[in-house]
Amino acid sequence: MNQSIKKILDFPITKIILGITVCFSLFVVIQNFLLKPFFFNIIQDQSIAKPIIHCISSVLLLVSYYYFFRFYDKRKITELSLNHLPKEIFGGFILGFLTISLSIFILYFLGYYQIISITTAYYSTKFFTMLIIAALVEDLFHRGLIVREIENWLGTHIAIVIAMLVELQHIFNPNSGLFDIFFYLIWGFTMAMLFIYTKRIWLPFFFHLGWNFAQPFYGSNLTGTNDMGNIIQSKFTGPELLTGGAFGIEGSIFTASFLLIIGIVLYYFAKKEGKIIKRKAMN
């Protein structure tokens, strides 16, 4: 291979662009032109067909990423390593769920959160599998690809800054306000640290999943949207700074503070354990 072409292909930004383009394109094409026509044809009930499609799509996305970078980088795909998987599944999900739960408990204690009723009639498997696929796409590309490549190239600190800035794409979500910009920056920091500490996508992915599941579970909007179903029908009152308002409980100053604490603690342990990578010296 021509050395100049190889140099371009080995450049981290090229890898990021090609990785997202190829893997996400395959994901979209297979889901929309193969899986949906096939399963919608044989299963008339979309509440059954869609969860199946979401689950198969998630697996195919991971497979496409794995083999693309096995071929591209000629390396072990350590970010998808199954080492410590059970611990990272349960630890990540429970930590994400409990972080939201702690904010809900504080609001309940202050009288700003009221439970009206509890039922699963307004929540379905389809909603949960939508959360799976949304979290996986973001964590695979944002953490597994962008943070990993930037960290190996420019060091951990630059990777954290880039990870924070990338999350600002969410400012266009419904009902986002000025404070939510700070939340996105904190989210980018802590999610990056969940990956940097383990060097695998599983802890941030399952934290993300637990975090996203907890919000509609408690009857909160999810990142500004109110169409993800709910299990606890509830009422939020009080200052928007505390409740998150129409954006949802993740926009609460309580939630943002807890999230920041998690990120800082992870940074402390990552630094203590020598997991902070320094920027490579320029040739």
Side-chain angles (χ1 to χ4, degrees), residues 4-172:
S4 59
I5 295 176
K6 186 178 186 304
K7 191 172 182 179
I8 292 172
L9 290 175
D10 288 341
F11 190 58
I13 302 300
T14 306
K15 290 184 180 182
I16 291 170
I17 293 171
L18 287 178
I20 294 174
T21 301
V22 172
C23 297
F24 190 71
S25 296
L26 283 172
F27 164 76
V28 170
V29 168
I30 291 173
Q31 184 182 73
N32 289 286
F33 295 99
L34 292 178
L35 296 179
K36 285 183 178 180
F38 177 75
F39 284 103
F40 287 166
N41 185 54
I42 64 173
I43 303 175
Q44 300 303 314
D45 188 346
Q46 291 195 9
S47 66
I48 297 175
K50 284 187 175 180
I52 295 173
I53 293 168
H54 293 156
C55 290
I56 295 175
S57 299
S58 298
V59 172
L60 291 175
L61 179 61
L62 289 169
V63 169
S64 67
Y65 178 96
Y66 178 88
Y67 282 104
F68 178 79
F69 282 103
R70 279 279 291 183
F71 172 78
Y72 197 144
D73 287 344
K74 303 292 190 298
R75 64 177 176 86
K76 290 184 178 180
I77 311 303
T78 53
E79 63 270 29
L80 297 184
S81 170
L82 301 183
N83 292 337
H84 311 293
L85 182 59
K87 182 170 65 176
E88 291 175 7
I89 288 175
F90 293 108
F93 188 90
I94 291 170
L95 182 60
F97 189 89
L98 288 182
T99 304
I100 294 294
S101 299
L102 186 55
S103 291
I104 293 291
F105 175 78
I106 292 173
L107 292 179
Y108 181 81
F109 179 78
L110 293 174
Y112 295 146
Y113 177 79
Q114 178 185 355
I115 296 175
I116 298 171
S117 64
I118 302 175
T119 176
T120 58
Y122 304 109
Y123 198 81
S124 68
T125 305
K126 179 186 72 174
F127 289 135
F128 187 70
T129 55
M130 285 174 63
L131 296 181
I132 291 175
I133 205 162
L136 181 61
V137 168
E138 183 174 320
D139 293 306
L140 184 63
F141 293 133
H142 286 198
R143 266 62 75 174
L145 181 53
I146 295 175
V147 171
R148 176 179 57 79
E149 285 290 343
I150 298 299
E151 184 182 33
N152 290 335
W153 175 33
L154 299 176
T156 299
H157 294 113
I158 299 298
I160 291 172
V161 172
I162 297 298
M164 293 169 67
L165 295 177
V166 165
E167 294 304 319
L168 291 180
Q169 66 176 301
H170 293 303
I171 61 174
F172 300 106

Side-chain angles (χ1 to χ4, degrees), residues 96-115 211 213-221 232 234-237 242-244 248-252 254-255 258:
F97 189 89
L98 288 182
T99 304
I100 294 294
S101 299
L102 186 55
S103 291
I104 293 291
F105 175 78
I106 292 173
L107 292 179
Y108 181 81
F109 179 78
L110 293 174
Y112 295 146
Y113 177 79
Q114 178 185 355
I115 296 175
W211 174 279
F213 172 69
Q215 294 173 70
F217 176 88
Y218 287 112
S220 168
N221 286 358
I232 297 177
S234 59
K235 182 179 180 182
F236 290 83
T237 57
L242 303 184
T243 66
I249 187 62
E250 68 181 0
S252 164
F254 296 131
T255 312
F258 299 143

Side-chain angles (χ1 to χ4, degrees), residues 205-259:
F205 168 59
F206 284 102
F207 177 91
H208 196 168
L209 188 58
W211 174 279
N212 280 355
F213 172 69
Q215 294 173 70
F217 176 88
Y218 287 112
S220 168
N221 286 358
L222 175 59
T223 319
T225 62
N226 61 359
D227 58 352
M228 291 303 296
N230 53 63
I231 292 176
I232 297 177
Q233 288 71 57
S234 59
K235 182 179 180 182
F236 290 83
T237 57
E240 186 173 322
L241 186 65
L242 303 184
T243 66
F247 185 73
I249 187 62
E250 68 181 0
S252 164
I253 193 170
F254 296 131
T255 312
S257 298
F258 299 143
L259 186 66

